[in-house]
């Protein structure tokens, strides 16, 4: 996906140049460079071929899975990011060498790719059972982070005498080095087993706690020592109660799986019935096992 975004500007350039004739784009003493010459140089490079390959795929995705529903999702997602970053939105895009238009296109490509995956590969009950083994539902905790193990033990000893929310909040303000949460009693946003922002050791310790329980030994991470208190843990329950969450997790993992996505892309390209008009590029999709129909016309 990232490669598609980085190549967007070059893709547009390649397509605009193709078939433009012999118009001069640069002249100098001793000669000139035409659009045909420039196009030929680009298409013969591996980068140029990869860019054309990616653009064909984008067109195929749009044709097979484009819809008003996806367009609405794109707008909603785009507007959400724009609101989040406010006045710095355009500068954030510029840092990634993107424009509002190319960013919208990247969002749309993601949604189209997800639609293609869901259409071509279904989640089975076996897939859900496999994911269920490591799944933990959303919980919310509060924590106190300190530098020394001895300090963490002091906090634990204090909780042994008074394990109330009020006392934990006061201890957080007094001891915690997490300046972002200490004023709010060390409260963290809800998370589940798919969360990647929290330390794995922290999550493992947290998921063992029931509502209102706290860790009775300091939890060591790369940030220091934590004392964790469970605000709400609904319990794992039954797999049937979390089918949607589990399905979403499976699809998210497949999106990152190159083997899975190559098979999906191959199906999309075969359904697109691609016809290559430039004989020099007739094998452009061979890496996906797709034999495109090549035109009998010349490379020009």
């Amino acid at each position: 996906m990232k490669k598609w975004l980085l190549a967007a500007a070059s893709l547009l350039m390649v397509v605009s140049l193709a078939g433009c004739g012999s118009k001069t784009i640069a002249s100098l003493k001793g000669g000139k460079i035409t659009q045909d010459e420039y196009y030929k140089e680009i298409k013969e490079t591996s980068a140029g071929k990869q860019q054309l390959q990616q653009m064909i795929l984008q067109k195929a995705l749009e044709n097979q899975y484009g819809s008003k529903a996806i367009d609405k999702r794109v707008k909603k997602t785009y507007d959400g990011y724009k609101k989040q970053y406010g006045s710095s939105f355009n500068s954030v895009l510029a840092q990634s060498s993107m424009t509002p238009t190319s960013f919208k296109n990247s969002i749309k490509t993601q949604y189209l790719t997800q639609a293609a995956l869901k259409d071509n590969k279904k989640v089975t009950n076996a897939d859900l059972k496999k994911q269920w083994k490591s799944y933990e539902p959303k919980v919310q905790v509060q924590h106190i982070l300190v530098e020394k193990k001895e300090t963490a033990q002091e906090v634990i000893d204090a909780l042994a005498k008074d394990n109330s929310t009020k006392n934990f909040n006061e201890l957080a303000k007094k001891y915690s080095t997490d300046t972002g949460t200490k004023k709010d009693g060390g409260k963290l946003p809800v998370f589940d087993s798919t969360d990647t922002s929290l330390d794995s050791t922290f999550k493992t310790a947290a998921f063992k706690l029931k509502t209102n329980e706290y860790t009775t030994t300091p939890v060591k991470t790369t940030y220091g020592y934590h004392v964790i208190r469970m605000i709400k843990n609904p319990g794992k329950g039954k797999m049937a109660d979390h089918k949607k969450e589990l399905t979403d997790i499976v699809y998210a993992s497949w999106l990152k799986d190159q083997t899975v996505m190559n098979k999906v892309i191959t199906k999309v390209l075969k359904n697109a019935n691609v016809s290559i008009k430039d004989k020099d590029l007739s094998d452009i999709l061979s890496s996906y096992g797709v034999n495109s129909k090549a035109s009998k016309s010349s490379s020009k």
Side-chain angles (χ1 to χ4, degrees):
M1 188 75 67
K2 198 171 187 179
K3 290 179 180 178
W4 298 355
L5 305 184
L6 293 175
S10 299
L11 285 169
L12 294 175
M13 178 180 67
V14 171
V15 172
S16 64
L17 287 172
C20 286
S22 57
K23 183 178 178 180
T24 300
I25 60 174
S27 61
L28 63 161
K29 290 181 179 180
K32 63 181 181 179
I33 298 174
T34 66
Q35 287 181 331
D36 274 348
E37 290 172 332
Y38 187 37
Y39 167 64
K40 184 178 180 181
E41 289 294 322
I42 291 175
K43 76 173 186 179
E44 290 179 352
T45 65
S46 59
K49 290 180 179 180
Q50 183 182 40
Q51 289 166 357
L52 179 57
Q53 186 184 74
Q54 292 163 348
M55 192 166 191
I56 290 171
L57 176 57
Q58 287 177 315
K59 291 285 187 181
L61 286 169
E62 174 66 35
N63 175 260
Q64 295 173 38
Y65 300 104
S67 67
K68 290 183 178 179
I70 283 184
D71 289 340
K72 289 181 179 179
R73 290 179 66 193
V74 171
K75 186 179 185 305
K76 183 177 181 181
T77 301
Y78 176 85
D79 290 344
Y81 278 114
K82 190 173 182 179
K83 182 179 180 181
Q84 177 183 345
Y85 288 101
S87 59
S88 62
F89 180 66
N90 286 334
S91 62
V92 171
L93 289 182
Q95 290 173 12
S96 301
S97 300
M98 300 185 75
T99 65
T101 299
S102 64
F103 182 52
K104 285 181 181 178
N105 289 337
S106 73
I107 296 171
K108 188 170 187 177
T109 298
Q110 291 179 43
Y111 285 139
L112 290 172
T113 304
Q114 291 171 11
L117 171 61
K118 291 180 179 180
D119 182 47
N120 288 284
K121 188 172 175 60
K122 304 300 182 183
V123 175
T124 66
N125 197 54
D127 294 324
L128 296 178
K129 286 182 177 180
K130 182 179 179 180
Q131 191 61 51
W132 176 246
K133 292 179 181 179
S134 60
Y135 175 75
E136 292 289 347
K138 290 182 177 180
V139 300
Q140 185 168 35
V141 304
Q142 52 187 155
H143 81 127
I144 296 172
L145 174 64
V146 296
E147 294 182 0
K148 298 180 180 179
K149 185 177 181 179
E150 294 79 8
T151 308
Q153 190 59 53
E154 287 181 28
V155 174
I156 292 170
D157 292 341
L159 287 173
K161 298 176 181 179
D162 181 3
N163 180 31
S164 65
T165 301
K166 180 181 178 181
N167 188 42
F168 195 97
N169 292 349
E170 292 175 352
L171 291 171
K173 292 177 182 178
K174 180 180 178 180
Y175 288 98
S176 187
T177 59
D178 184 352
T179 56
T181 65
K182 64 183 299 180
K183 292 182 180 179
D184 192 28
K187 188 182 295 184
L188 295 174
V190 295
F191 62 91
D192 59 20
S193 52
T194 66
D195 181 275
T196 57
S197 63
L198 294 172
D199 185 281
S200 59
T201 303
F202 183 98
K203 290 193 295 182
T204 299
F207 289 134
K208 292 179 180 179
L209 302 173
K210 295 180 181 179
T211 301
N212 294 328
E213 287 185 346
Y214 62 91
T215 50
T216 54
T217 57
V219 179
K220 188 179 185 304
T221 69
T222 55
Y223 302 101
Y225 292 88
H226 304 259
V227 178
I228 308 169
R229 184 173 185 271
M230 180 60 67
I231 296 174
K232 184 178 181 180
N233 187 345
K236 194 166 182 176
K238 299 178 181 179
M239 188 180 82
D241 298 330
H242 301 279
K243 186 175 181 178
K244 182 183 182 304
E245 294 93 328
L246 294 171
T247 300
D248 290 343
I249 293 171
V250 172
Y251 274 128
S253 66
W254 283 345
L255 278 169
K256 299 176 183 178
D257 189 318
Q258 187 175 355
T259 301
V260 171
M261 292 311 300
N262 277 349
K263 290 180 180 179
V264 171
I265 290 170
T266 296
K267 291 181 180 179
V268 171
L269 292 174
K270 285 183 176 179
N271 291 335
N273 195 29
V274 182
S275 177
I276 302 298
K277 303 302 182 182
D278 189 324
K279 65 180 182 181
D280 295 334
L281 298 170
S282 59
D283 64 344
I284 195 73
L285 303 178
S286 60
S287 60
Y288 289 106
V290 178
N291 295 319
S292 20
K293 296 178 180 178
S295 169
K296 294 182 180 179
S297 61
S298 67
S299 61
K300 181 176 179 180

